[in-house]
Amino acid sequence: MAKEAYLLPFDYTVSAKRPLPSQRHPFRATNIGIVFICSIFAVATFLFFRDASNVPSQHMQSSSANRCRFPLPNLLASSPPHASDEEIVQASNALYDSLSKQTSQEDIDSLSIAVVTPTGSVFEYGFGVLRANETDVGKQGKIDKDSIYRIASISKMFTVLETLILRERGILSWDDPIQKFIPELSYPSYGWSEYLSGNISINTRKAPRITVRQLASHMSGIGRDYPPVNFKTWPNISPWETEIPPRSYKKLLSSIAKYPLVNFPYQFPVYSNAGFDLLGLTNVAANKIAEDSADGPDTHKDLLKRDIFDPMGLNGSFYRIPSDPTLRGHIAVPSKDPEWADFLFDDSDDPAGGQYSSLSDLSIVMRTILSPTAEGGVVSEHVIREWLHPLYDWSGGIEQVGAPWEIKKLNNQIPLYTKGGNLPGYHTQFALNPQFGYGVISLATGTYSNSAAFVADAFSHFQPAFEGILEKRVRDAYVGKWVNDGNTGIVSIIDGGLFVEKLVIRGVDILAYVQDTGIGLVKKSSPVALMGTREGEFRLAFGRADINDTPEAGCIVYWATFDPFNGRDAPIDLIYWEGDELVYPSGGVRLRRV
C-alpha cells in the first residue's frame, strides 16, 4: 500500500550499644526526634521483618541490587511527545515498514492502527481495503481513521465505563448485589456433580452473593456464554448442530438459574460474556429505578448513547447499523464471514460484544483515559485512577485482571491495561500504557486473529522512543548537582530510576545518617531512590538499609517506612521541585542547579 495512507506527524533496630545522639554529632544532639524515628520504624516494620532482620545483608541499597524498582516520574502525560520528534519519526517509519509486510499477507483484509497520546495520535495508518468481500476493486474502498469495525469484546470496556458513570451519580454501588436491581435473578449453589446426577435437592448451601464489581472483573463465577452451544453427540459433531442458540433476556436469566457457577465469586477470574451481558442489564435496571420514569433508556445501547457516545462526540460508535449512508459506507467488511458485519445482536447480548466503533472514536476515549483532566471525559480523574487498578493477580505476576482489563507486563515490568476482542472476521485491541502516557489501538478484519501481535509490534518500536524522550525530560527537570550556602544535593538516573546520590544539609550527610543502622551492617551511604508521589514531588525511599536488598523484604520495606517523622513540619523524606529550585523542606533549604 502506498505510504500516503495517513500519518500523524515510575526498623530501625535500636542497638543497646548505640551512642546517645549527643555523643555522635552536633546535628543529632539538636534532633531529639531521632529517638522517635527509631520507634516509628520499629513499630511499622519490626514484627513483619523480625526473621529477615536476623539475616545479615551483604549489600547496601544500590540501583543494581534494589529489589523494589520505582519508575521515572511520568512527565509525558502532561507534556506528550510530538509526531515530529526525532525518536517518534524513527519509530513510526520502522513500524510502518513492519506493518506493511504483515498486512500484505492474504489472511489480513485490513488494519486500522494508531499510537495515541493525551493530545492526539503520533502514528495513525490504514492498511488494506474497507470492503474485502467485494470482487470489484473499484468498490473495495480504503481504510482510514473513520472506518468502522465491530470491536467485539472491547464493548465490555464501554459497559464498565457506563457502570462507573452511574456509580458516580449515586445510582448504584460497586458492591451492590445484582438482585437489588434484577430481583428475578437466581443462580444455584449446587455444583456440576450434583446437577448432572440430578441430586440438586440435597444441596443446602446458600448461594453466594454476586455483585457489580464481580461482574465487571469476570469474578462472579458465571460461565462464559449463556445459553451455551450444546453438542448432544459430542465428540461426534453433526454439522446441523453448530448453530448458535438465540439469546434474549429471558434465556440469559434462565441459563444462569440452571447451570452451576464455574467457581465461587472472588476465587479467580472466569471470562464471562454472560456476566457482562448481566452487567449491562443491571446498568439499565438501576438507571430506570433511579429515574423512576418510563422515559429513561430501555436498553444498553440507548443508555450508552445518552451517557457516552453523545457527550463524547463518538459519531461512529453504535450497536445497530444506522440508516445514514455515510456511516454505512464506512463499515469494514471481511472477505470471509462477511455476514458478521451486520449480524444482529439481541439487546441483552450487546454489553459483551455488540458494539461498532472507529479508530477516531476509540482514540478520543483513549485520550480521556490517559489524561482524565482533558476536556470531553465522562468520569473524573480519581475514577480513572481507580479504574486502572488490578483486581486479581495470577500466580507468578505475569498477568493481572481488572474491570475489565487484561493487564500484562511490557518487558516484564511495565503494566499494560488491555482489552481485546474477537468475532468472526474482526480482531481488535485497545491497550493503555499509563506509566508512559500513551496507548495503541488496533482494528483488523480477516482470518488472522492474533490482533495482539500488531499491538506488540507497535510497543516494541515506540516504547524505546518514549523511554528515551522521558529520560531526557527527567534529566532536564531533575538531574544534576544542586547547591546553596554549603548545602548540596546530587540527583542521578541509575539503571532507569531517579536517585539521590548525595544530600548534605547543614553539614550532615542525610543519606548516611538515616541509613546508619548502628549495628555495623552499613558503613556508608548508598543512593536512595526517589518515588514520585505527585508531579514534581517525591519521597526518599530509605526503607531499612540492613534488609532493603533481601528477597524477603520486597517493596513493603519502603512504603511501610514513608514519612517516619517531621522536621520543620515536613516529612524528612520529602523532596520537591518548585520552579527551578530543589526544596528539602524538613532541612529548611532550597537548592539551585549548577
Side-chain angles (χ1 to χ4, degrees):
M1 181 173 179
K3 198 166 182 177
E4 64 262 23
Y6 56 98
L7 171 66
L8 300 177
F10 173 212
D11 123 356
Y12 259 81
T13 303
V14 184
S15 170
K17 297 181 180 180
R18 187 179 180 93
L20 294 173
S22 58
Q23 297 173 313
R24 303 179 69 200
H25 195 284
F27 177 78
R28 303 175 191 183
T30 62
N31 284 269
I32 300 175
I34 195 63
V35 177
F36 187 58
I37 186 175
C38 298
S39 302
I40 294 295
F41 275 31
V43 171
T45 63
F46 176 74
L47 291 178
F48 187 88
F49 293 117
R50 178 174 51 194
D51 295 332
S53 61
N54 291 327
V55 181
S57 172
Q58 301 302 315
H59 306 283
M60 298 178 294
Q61 179 187 5
S62 68
S63 60
S64 59
N66 190 5
R67 297 184 182 272
C68 188
R69 303 181 67 90
F70 305 117
L72 291 177
N74 182 13
L75 303 183
L76 302 183
S78 59
S79 181
H82 298 286
S84 58
D85 290 345
E86 180 181 356
E87 297 90 341
I88 300 299
V89 171
Q90 292 177 359
S92 297
N93 291 335
L95 179 58
Y96 175 84
D97 291 342
S98 176
L99 294 177
S100 294
K101 294 177 183 178
Q102 295 181 62
T103 55
S104 66
Q105 303 301 311
E106 292 184 357
D107 54 357
I108 298 174
D109 298 328
S110 73
L111 173 65
S112 185
I113 186 169
V115 177
V116 182
T117 74
T119 55
S121 298
V122 294
F123 177 94
E124 197 171 75
Y125 264 107
F127 300 86
V129 297
L130 185 66
R131 290 176 290 277
N133 63 320
E134 290 281 0
T135 57
D136 185 343
V137 175
K139 295 181 180 180
Q140 289 180 339
K142 294 183 177 181
I143 294 296
D144 61 25
K145 65 181 180 180
D146 296 317
S147 299
I148 298 170
Y149 290 74
R150 300 214 78 145
I151 62 172
S153 284
I154 294 180
S155 305
K156 294 178 175 68
M157 180 184 75
F158 285 86
T159 302
V160 176
L161 180 56
E162 177 64 39
T163 305
L164 293 171
I165 291 170
L166 297 179
R167 190 196 69 170
E168 291 308 290
R169 294 176 183 170
I171 290 174
L172 52 71
S173 168
W174 210 226
D175 293 308
D176 278 335
I178 305 306
Q179 284 97 335
K180 178 178 179 179
F181 309 108
I182 306 179
E184 63 269 38
L185 173 70
S186 65
Y187 43 89
S189 59
Y190 52 74
W192 278 96
S193 176
E194 294 161 317
Y195 168 71
L196 294 173
S197 65
N199 293 325
I200 61 176
S201 60
I202 68 173
N203 175 50
T204 59
R205 293 192 301 268
K206 183 179 179 181
R209 185 176 71 165
I210 293 178
T211 68
V212 172
R213 186 196 307 267
Q214 293 162 2
L215 292 181
S217 57
H218 298 290
M219 296 281 280
S220 68
I222 294 174
R224 180 182 171 89
D225 294 298
Y226 286 154
V229 176
N230 186 22
F231 298 107
K232 296 180 181 180
T233 59
W234 172 264
N236 299 310
I237 301 174
S238 300
W240 57 269
E241 285 191 304
T242 59
E243 184 178 349
I244 297 175
R247 293 185 171 135
S248 64
Y249 177 84
K250 183 177 180 180
K251 290 182 180 296
L252 174 66
L253 292 192
S254 64
S255 292
I256 293 175
K258 175 183 177 181
Y259 293 110
L261 298 176
V262 177
N263 60 357
F264 290 109
Y266 280 137
Q267 189 172 346
F268 59 82
V270 171
Y271 197 93
S272 178
N273 291 317
F276 265 86
D277 287 334
L278 186 57
L279 178 62
L281 295 170
T282 299
N283 289 339
V284 174
N287 183 73
K288 295 283 283 187
I289 293 170
E291 292 186 348
D292 193 25
S293 168
D295 298 330
D298 292 316
T299 63
H300 172 79
K301 63 179 183 293
D302 293 331
L303 189 61
L304 264 69
K305 186 177 188 304
R306 184 195 73 178
D307 291 342
I308 300 176
F309 299 165
D310 287 351
M312 298 187 75
L314 308 184
N315 299 319
S317 298
F318 42 78
Y319 286 85
R320 302 292 180 269
I321 295 179
S323 57
D324 184 329
T326 302
L327 289 176
R328 295 175 69 91
H330 277 92
I331 294 176
V333 183
S335 58
K336 186 178 181 181
D337 302 310
E339 66 274 13
W340 280 87
D342 56 1
F343 178 87
L344 187 62
F345 281 72
D346 184 83
D347 286 338
S348 64
D349 215 21
D350 279 334
Q355 187 178 329
Y356 297 79
S357 196
S358 65
L359 193 67
S360 179
D361 282 4
L362 292 174
S363 294
I364 292 173
V365 176
M366 180 170 281
R367 287 161 57 185
T368 66
I369 298 176
L370 291 169
S371 182
T373 58
E375 293 184 7
V378 288
V379 290
S380 65
E381 181 180 5
H382 80 269
V383 173
I384 295 295
R385 287 200 302 270
E386 176 192 4
W387 195 16
L388 298 181
H389 189 81
L391 297 176
Y392 185 85
D393 194 346
W394 285 102
S395 298
I398 298 174
E399 188 172 346
Q400 298 168 307
V401 178
W405 309 111
E406 295 135 12
I407 309 167
K408 303 169 185 178
K409 297 291 180 69
L410 179 65
N411 300 328
N412 293 322
Q413 291 182 344
I414 303 163
L416 300 180
Y417 286 74
T418 72
K419 186 70 202 84
N422 283 283
L423 283 172
Y426 294 91
H427 315 287
T428 59
Q429 287 283 329
F430 185 98
L432 294 157
N433 185 343
Q435 185 175 320
F436 284 84
Y438 76 105
V440 180
I441 302 165
S442 170
L443 307 173
T445 53
T447 57
Y448 181 74
S449 61
N450 188 10
S451 57
F454 300 128
V455 171
D457 198 8
F459 279 123
S460 72
H461 288 93
F462 275 87
Q463 184 61 26
F466 275 77
E467 288 179 356
I469 294 171
L470 176 60
E471 182 167 326
K472 287 182 180 178
R473 300 267 182 92
V474 171
R475 288 187 183 279
D476 289 345
Y478 307 122
V479 170
K481 184 176 183 179
W482 302 78
V483 301
N484 184 25
D485 195 23
N487 303 297
T488 303
I490 297 178
V491 181
S492 305
I493 293 177
I494 304 175
D495 290 351
L498 195 61
F499 281 76
V500 172
E501 289 195 86
K502 183 177 183 179
L503 186 60
V504 177
I505 305 298
R506 305 182 188 281
V508 176
D509 185 335
I510 301 296
L511 305 189
Y513 184 55
V514 176
Q515 291 181 85
D516 182 5
T517 65
I519 54 177
L521 294 179
V522 177
K523 301 298 185 182
K524 61 180 180 180
S525 69
S526 57
V528 173
L530 284 172
M531 185 172 185
T533 51
R534 293 180 177 85
E535 186 167 344
E537 185 175 301
F538 302 84
R539 289 298 192 275
L540 285 154
F542 288 117
R544 283 182 45 190
D546 54 329
I547 61 173
N548 281 344
D549 299 321
T550 61
E552 299 83 1
C555 290
I556 191 173
V557 70
Y558 297 102
W559 59 263
T561 54
F562 276 5
D563 297 0
F565 70 95
N566 286 9
R568 293 176 173 82
D569 205 32
I572 65 146
D573 53 359
L574 171 65
I575 280 183
Y576 58 85
W577 273 260
E578 197 169 71
D580 59 354
E581 294 181 320
L582 182 159
V583 183
Y584 184 57
S586 63
V589 299
R590 307 175 75 91
L591 312 178
R592 288 183 173 271
R593 185 157 46 190
V594 295

